[in-house]
Structures are given as structure tokens and as C-alpha cells.
Amino acid sequence: MAALTGESLDDAVGGMTVPVTVVDLADSSVRDLNRALHSPDAARTTAWRVLNPRGAHSVACGLAEELAVDVEGHVGYYCAGMNQRATVTVHGNAGTGVAENMMSGAVRVHGNASQSAGATAHGGLLVVDGDAAARCGISMKGVDIVVGGNVGHMSAFMGQAGRLVVCGDTGDALGDSLYEARIYVKGTVKSLGADCVEKEMRDEHVTELAELLKAAERDEDPAGFRRYGSARRLYHFKVDNSTAY
């Protein structure tokens, strides 16, 4: 694998410099990159820069160590999927399923994300600075997702746990077949999905939302959001609700 080492990067906390491993995907394969990130030696250099991703798929997947990976450009599908402890930052747009099945850690997209962002994710924080397409947070199981722009239709579909924050507008069928995930929206909701209803925005929800916005480095006023959740009518089959299934 062709990799350059010995560069320095300003540490965001202490102002100190740390060594960086630079991998250029113009010269190396994604398989080589992921193998290096999973190697026992990966944690010795906690900062990584990935150059020329050019829409490559499955970049920086399944990372189990506390690494900081900066991807300088657009990525394809399933970037940072199955992330556990790493912080992965995409300086561009991301394709389908970014941070899919993430367990912990953080993933940030400084652009737009395609459909199914954060799908089935169990934990951690996903931030999309731009827009996210359809089914953002589909079957989310504990992840926190903050979208700076709009989300597409059926976002948080079958959301089981976690929080979805939308600083823009939503498409059709928001929260369709929702379980216990919480949804906060600042803009316009085009329509709500089956069993999703608007709920009271109490003080504890304003506090919770403020913490999420701070973690995502957003400056929106949490008081300007509305909260949505499950009406809990679809938990058990009832013939009176048969048309909603």
C-alpha cells in the first residue's frame, strides 16, 4: 500500500500536533486502506487522511479503534458502516447508507448524504451538514442523527430508538411505523407516516435537543423545533387499525 507518513495535523483540543498517516486512493485500493485501518498498528497513528476517494465505496468501514479519519472528497455507498469507536469525517458528499449499522463513535458529512443514512444504526452520532435523501434513519436502533438541511420521504421509517433532528424540511411519511425513536423538526413536515403524531415539546425535550445540537455544532434555537413520536397504535394488531398496517 502506498502511504505517506510523517505529516502533522493540529489537534483540535490541545493545539498540539500529532502524526498523520496519509493514504492516497489514487495509488492504493480501498481494501488496502481498510486493512491498514484494521491492523494492530492502526492505533499507533490515531489520525488518518484519505485522499482522492473519487466516490469509492465502503471507505473506512467497521473501525473498532479511536481513530480520526478525514476523507478528502466524495464517497460512495456504506462509508463508515459498522463504525464502533472512530470519528470519520467526509469532506464532501456521501452515497447510500453512510454510517449504516454504526454502533458508537461519530460520523460527519460536510455535504449531502444519499438515501438510508444511518440505517439500522445502534449508537453514536451521525451529522449531515447538508441534505439527506429518502429513508434517513430507517430502522434506527439508538443512533443520534442531526441533519442540517432537509430529509427525504419516509425518514425514520420503523425507527426503534434514538433521535433524529432535522433542521430543515421533511418529505412525505415522516416516522412511518415508528416505535420509540424521537424526531425533532425545525421546518415543514410534508406529511406524517402511519402511527406518527406530533407531541408536546416539554422542557426536558428542549434540553435534550439543545445537547444534540451542541454536539453537532449547530447554532439553531431548540425552542423553534417541534417533536414527533409514535402514537403506539400499531404495537399490537387490532382489527380497527387494519387499514393502517
Side-chain angles (χ1 to χ4, degrees), residues 165-184:
V165 179
V166 182
C167 299
D169 303 329
T170 80
D172 280 317
L174 175 70
D176 188 89
S177 302
L178 195 68
Y179 288 82
E180 290 301 316
R182 291 178 178 174
I183 304 173
Y184 298 97

Side-chain angles (χ1 to χ4, degrees), residues 3-201:
L4 303 176
T5 60
E7 293 191 11
S8 63
L9 180 71
D10 289 337
D11 185 270
V13 178
M16 301 174 63
T17 58
V18 294
V20 179
T21 297
V22 180
V23 179
D24 191 339
L25 291 183
D27 302 320
S28 304
S29 69
V30 174
R31 178 172 293 183
D32 287 337
L33 167 65
N34 286 337
R35 184 184 294 118
L37 290 169
H38 282 267
S39 72
D41 295 332
R44 295 180 182 177
T45 305
T46 57
W48 293 69
R49 289 183 65 213
V50 181
L51 306 180
N52 295 307
R54 299 176 181 177
H57 305 308
S58 303
V59 173
C61 287
L63 303 186
E65 301 294 338
E66 294 182 358
L67 308 177
V69 182
D70 283 84
V71 184
E72 305 289 346
H74 307 310
V75 293
Y77 54 66
Y78 300 124
C79 176
M82 301 179 291
N83 188 56
Q84 293 185 45
R85 301 171 66 192
T87 298
V88 180
T89 304
V90 178
H91 299 272
N93 300 325
T96 299
V98 62
E100 178 267 344
N101 205 35
M102 177 166 65
M103 297 296 173
S104 60
V107 176
R108 183 165 201 136
V109 179
H110 288 302
N112 301 320
S114 187
Q115 63 182 350
S116 303
T120 74
H122 289 250
L125 173 65
L126 168 62
V127 180
V128 178
D129 288 337
D131 298 329
R135 300 176 181 86
C136 176
I138 180 173
S139 194
M140 55 193 289
K141 296 177 173 66
V143 65
D144 290 326
I145 303 175
V146 180
V147 179
N150 305 324
V151 296
H153 64 270
M154 296 194 78
S155 289
F157 172 54
M158 293 184 67
Q160 295 163 44
R163 288 83 59 93
L164 170 62
V165 179
V166 182
C167 299
D169 303 329
T170 80
D172 280 317
L174 175 70
D176 188 89
S177 302
L178 195 68
Y179 288 82
E180 290 301 316
R182 291 178 178 174
I183 304 173
Y184 298 97
V185 180
K186 182 178 180 181
T188 301
V189 174
K190 190 170 184 180
S191 69
L192 296 175
D195 212 38
C196 184
V197 296
E198 184 173 356
K199 295 194 171 186
E200 180 185 2
M201 190 77 168

